[in-house]
Amino acid sequence: MVSFPKAAALVALFFLLSLSHAENYVAINSVDGRDVLSGIFYANVKGYTVRFMPVPGGSSDIFASKVGSGHSILLLQSSTNPVSGFVESELRTAGNQVEIYSSSDGGDTNLELAKRSGAESFIVVDSAFSEGAISVLPYASQTKSYVLLADRTNVDKVKAIVAGKKLTIYGFVDKQVKDALSQFSPAYIVKGEDKY
Protein backbone atom coordinates (compact mmCIF):
# COMPACT_ATOMS: atom_id res chain seq x y z
CA MET A 1 0.00 0.00 0.00
CA VAL A 2 1.34 3.42 -1.02
CA SER A 3 1.33 6.10 1.66
CA PHE A 4 -0.32 9.46 1.08
CA PRO A 5 2.98 11.44 0.84
CA LYS A 6 4.33 8.95 -1.72
CA ALA A 7 1.09 9.01 -3.69
CA ALA A 8 1.13 12.82 -3.69
CA ALA A 9 4.74 12.80 -4.86
CA LEU A 10 3.86 10.39 -7.68
CA VAL A 11 0.93 12.56 -8.78
CA ALA A 12 3.14 15.68 -8.72
CA LEU A 13 5.83 13.88 -10.74
CA PHE A 14 3.24 12.72 -13.27
CA PHE A 15 1.92 16.29 -13.56
CA LEU A 16 5.40 17.73 -14.11
CA LEU A 17 6.19 15.09 -16.73
CA SER A 18 2.94 15.80 -18.54
CA LEU A 19 3.78 19.52 -18.65
CA SER A 20 7.25 18.81 -20.04
CA HIS A 21 5.65 16.84 -22.87
CA ALA A 22 2.78 19.29 -23.41
CA GLU A 23 1.99 20.07 -26.99
CA ASN A 24 2.99 23.55 -28.01
CA TYR A 25 0.38 25.85 -29.50
CA VAL A 26 0.25 29.24 -31.13
CA ALA A 27 -3.05 30.97 -30.35
CA ILE A 28 -3.94 34.16 -32.20
CA ASN A 29 -6.29 36.83 -30.88
CA SER A 30 -6.24 39.61 -33.45
CA VAL A 31 -8.40 41.17 -36.12
CA ASP A 32 -5.22 42.13 -38.05
CA GLY A 33 -4.68 39.57 -40.82
CA ARG A 34 -0.90 40.11 -40.63
CA ASP A 35 -0.92 38.80 -37.04
CA VAL A 36 -2.89 35.74 -38.14
CA LEU A 37 -0.60 34.99 -41.08
CA SER A 38 2.55 35.59 -39.02
CA GLY A 39 1.29 33.23 -36.32
CA ILE A 40 0.69 30.55 -38.95
CA PHE A 41 4.15 31.08 -40.48
CA TYR A 42 5.77 30.86 -37.03
CA ALA A 43 3.82 27.74 -36.05
CA ASN A 44 4.77 26.01 -39.31
CA VAL A 45 8.48 26.67 -38.80
CA LYS A 46 8.35 25.49 -35.17
CA GLY A 47 6.09 22.52 -35.86
CA TYR A 48 3.40 23.80 -33.48
CA THR A 49 -0.36 23.58 -33.71
CA VAL A 50 -2.05 26.89 -34.46
CA ARG A 51 -5.53 28.20 -33.61
CA PHE A 52 -6.99 31.64 -34.16
CA MET A 53 -10.08 33.40 -32.91
CA PRO A 54 -12.63 33.67 -35.72
CA VAL A 55 -13.86 37.11 -36.74
CA PRO A 56 -16.56 38.27 -36.24
CA GLY A 57 -18.17 36.99 -33.10
CA GLY A 58 -15.47 34.65 -31.82
CA SER A 59 -16.25 33.17 -28.43
CA SER A 60 -13.24 32.91 -26.10
CA ASP A 61 -14.66 30.01 -24.06
CA ILE A 62 -15.39 27.94 -27.20
CA PHE A 63 -11.93 28.85 -28.51
CA ALA A 64 -10.31 27.71 -25.25
CA SER A 65 -12.24 24.43 -25.31
CA LYS A 66 -10.99 23.76 -28.86
CA VAL A 67 -7.41 24.33 -27.69
CA GLY A 68 -7.88 22.07 -24.67
CA SER A 69 -5.73 21.94 -21.56
CA GLY A 70 -2.18 21.16 -20.50
CA HIS A 71 -0.53 23.02 -23.38
CA SER A 72 2.30 25.50 -23.58
CA ILE A 73 0.84 28.39 -25.57
CA LEU A 74 2.28 31.44 -27.26
CA LEU A 75 -0.66 33.85 -27.42
CA LEU A 76 -0.29 36.44 -30.17
CA GLN A 77 -2.57 39.26 -29.23
CA SER A 78 -3.23 42.63 -30.81
CA SER A 79 -2.92 45.30 -28.14
CA THR A 80 -5.26 47.59 -30.06
CA ASN A 81 -7.66 45.27 -31.89
CA PRO A 82 -8.07 41.81 -30.33
CA VAL A 83 -11.09 39.69 -31.21
CA SER A 84 -11.83 39.15 -27.49
CA GLY A 85 -10.50 40.52 -24.23
CA PHE A 86 -10.98 37.18 -22.46
CA VAL A 87 -8.79 34.76 -24.43
CA GLU A 88 -5.82 34.78 -22.04
CA SER A 89 -7.94 34.18 -18.93
CA GLU A 90 -9.95 31.41 -20.65
CA LEU A 91 -6.77 29.63 -21.77
CA ARG A 92 -5.26 29.86 -18.27
CA THR A 93 -8.50 28.71 -16.64
CA ALA A 94 -8.40 25.66 -18.92
CA GLY A 95 -5.03 24.73 -17.39
CA ASN A 96 -2.57 26.00 -19.99
CA GLN A 97 0.74 27.81 -19.62
CA VAL A 98 0.44 31.06 -21.59
CA GLU A 99 3.17 33.38 -22.83
CA ILE A 100 1.82 36.58 -24.41
CA TYR A 101 3.28 38.46 -27.34
CA SER A 102 1.34 41.68 -27.79
CA SER A 103 1.77 44.25 -30.54
CA SER A 104 -0.18 47.15 -32.00
CA ASP A 105 1.25 46.61 -35.50
CA GLY A 106 1.00 43.41 -37.55
CA GLY A 107 4.11 44.36 -39.52
CA ASP A 108 6.14 44.44 -36.29
CA THR A 109 4.65 41.09 -35.29
CA ASN A 110 5.78 39.59 -38.61
CA LEU A 111 9.38 40.73 -38.12
CA GLU A 112 9.58 39.79 -34.44
CA LEU A 113 8.25 36.27 -35.01
CA ALA A 114 10.68 35.85 -37.90
CA LYS A 115 13.55 36.45 -35.47
CA ARG A 116 12.05 34.18 -32.81
CA SER A 117 11.30 31.36 -35.26
CA GLY A 118 14.88 30.26 -35.75
CA ALA A 119 14.11 29.74 -39.45
CA GLU A 120 17.00 29.07 -41.80
CA SER A 121 14.90 29.75 -44.89
CA PHE A 122 12.80 32.81 -45.71
CA ILE A 123 10.32 33.76 -48.40
CA VAL A 124 9.75 37.46 -49.04
CA VAL A 125 6.41 38.68 -50.37
CA ASP A 126 5.06 42.17 -50.87
CA SER A 127 3.32 43.45 -47.74
CA ALA A 128 0.64 45.27 -49.73
CA PHE A 129 -0.82 42.19 -51.42
CA SER A 130 -2.11 39.47 -49.07
CA GLU A 131 -2.67 37.01 -51.91
CA GLY A 132 1.11 36.50 -52.20
CA ALA A 133 1.41 35.53 -48.55
CA ILE A 134 -1.58 33.19 -48.77
CA SER A 135 -0.47 31.64 -52.08
CA VAL A 136 2.98 30.78 -50.77
CA LEU A 137 1.72 29.30 -47.49
CA PRO A 138 1.75 25.59 -48.54
CA TYR A 139 5.25 25.91 -50.03
CA ALA A 140 6.49 27.71 -46.93
CA SER A 141 5.07 24.95 -44.74
CA GLN A 142 6.72 22.21 -46.81
CA THR A 143 10.12 23.94 -46.73
CA LYS A 144 9.89 25.18 -43.10
CA SER A 145 10.33 28.72 -44.40
CA TYR A 146 9.13 31.82 -42.61
CA VAL A 147 7.31 34.35 -44.83
CA LEU A 148 8.34 37.99 -44.47
CA LEU A 149 6.00 40.81 -45.48
CA ALA A 150 8.36 43.34 -47.04
CA ASP A 151 8.12 46.84 -48.47
CA ARG A 152 10.37 49.85 -48.84
CA THR A 153 9.73 50.98 -45.24
CA ASN A 154 10.99 47.81 -43.54
CA VAL A 155 13.50 46.43 -46.04
CA ASP A 156 16.51 47.26 -43.83
CA LYS A 157 15.03 45.17 -40.99
CA VAL A 158 14.25 42.37 -43.46
CA LYS A 159 17.88 42.44 -44.67
CA ALA A 160 19.15 41.98 -41.12
CA ILE A 161 16.86 38.97 -40.59
CA VAL A 162 17.68 37.13 -43.85
CA ALA A 163 21.45 37.72 -43.88
CA GLY A 164 23.22 34.37 -44.25
CA LYS A 165 19.97 32.42 -44.72
CA LYS A 166 18.29 30.81 -47.72
CA LEU A 167 16.11 33.41 -49.43
CA THR A 168 13.31 33.24 -51.98
CA ILE A 169 11.37 36.20 -53.36
CA TYR A 170 7.82 35.31 -54.35
CA GLY A 171 5.83 37.35 -56.84
CA PHE A 172 5.78 41.09 -57.25
CA VAL A 173 7.75 43.15 -54.70
CA ASP A 174 8.81 46.80 -54.63
CA LYS A 175 11.89 47.56 -56.73
CA GLN A 176 13.59 48.86 -53.56
CA VAL A 177 13.01 45.49 -51.88
CA LYS A 178 14.29 43.52 -54.87
CA ASP A 179 17.38 45.74 -55.17
CA ALA A 180 18.16 45.66 -51.45
CA LEU A 181 17.88 41.86 -51.25
CA SER A 182 19.75 41.09 -54.49
CA GLN A 183 23.04 40.91 -52.55
CA PHE A 184 21.80 37.63 -50.98
CA SER A 185 21.35 35.93 -54.40
CA PRO A 186 17.71 35.01 -53.79
CA ALA A 187 15.75 32.49 -55.81
CA TYR A 188 12.70 33.94 -57.55
CA ILE A 189 9.26 32.38 -57.93
CA VAL A 190 6.83 34.07 -60.34
CA LYS A 191 9.08 37.01 -61.04
CA GLY A 192 7.70 39.95 -62.94
CA GLU A 193 6.92 43.61 -62.69
CA ASP A 194 3.16 43.22 -62.37
CA LYS A 195 1.35 41.37 -59.58
CA TYR A 196 -1.12 40.02 -62.14
Side-chain angles (χ1 to χ4, degrees):
M1 185 168 184
V2 179
S3 68
F4 180 75
K6 286 183 182 178
L10 287 173
V11 169
L13 180 61
F14 177 74
F15 178 72
L16 289 174
L17 286 173
S18 69
L19 285 179
S20 67
H21 296 294
E23 183 178 7
N24 292 310
Y25 265 81
V26 174
I28 307 163
N29 180 24
S30 177
V31 174
D32 189 331
R34 296 172 299 173
D35 288 334
V36 175
L37 285 171
S38 298
I40 293 169
F41 302 148
Y42 178 82
N44 284 341
V45 170
K46 302 297 271 183
Y48 297 166
T49 301
V50 63
R51 297 279 185 266
F52 55 90
M53 282 287 293
V55 178
S59 170
S60 57
D61 58 336
I62 292 172
F63 176 74
S65 69
K66 287 182 179 179
V67 170
S69 62
H71 302 296
S72 178
I73 297 173
L74 173 61
L75 175 59
L76 306 178
Q77 188 157 272
S78 170
S79 60
T80 54
N81 207 2
V83 177
S84 169
F86 302 103
V87 172
E88 178 191 359
S89 61
E90 291 286 352
L91 290 171
R92 289 187 192 279
T93 300
N96 296 294
Q97 295 177 338
V98 180
E99 174 193 351
I100 298 176
Y101 174 78
S102 180
S103 172
S104 62
D105 183 88
D108 291 342
T109 300
N110 181 255
L111 297 174
E112 180 59 31
L113 292 181
K115 292 185 270 189
R116 290 177 63 155
S117 73
E120 292 295 319
S121 176
F122 291 92
I123 300 171
V124 169
V125 299
D126 191 284
S127 64
F129 305 109
S130 61
E131 55 270 345
I134 294 168
S135 296
V136 80
L137 188 56
Y139 178 73
S141 179
Q142 284 291 100
T143 60
K144 295 288 189 193
S145 300
Y146 187 91
V147 181
L148 287 161
L149 310 173
D151 60 35
R152 63 180 67 114
T153 66
N154 71 356
V155 70
D156 289 334
K157 293 176 182 176
V158 169
K159 279 173 57 177
I161 292 168
V162 303
K165 312 289 186 191
K166 182 180 175 189
L167 178 62
T168 301
I169 296 177
Y170 178 82
F172 175 80
V173 295
D174 284 338
K175 183 178 184 322
Q176 293 91 331
V177 171
K178 191 180 284 188
D179 291 347
L181 299 179
S182 65
Q183 66 183 293
F184 302 115
S185 303
Y188 291 90
I189 299 175
V190 192
K191 61 182 174 178
E193 296 305 317
D194 189 316
K195 81 182 189 83
Y196 298 106

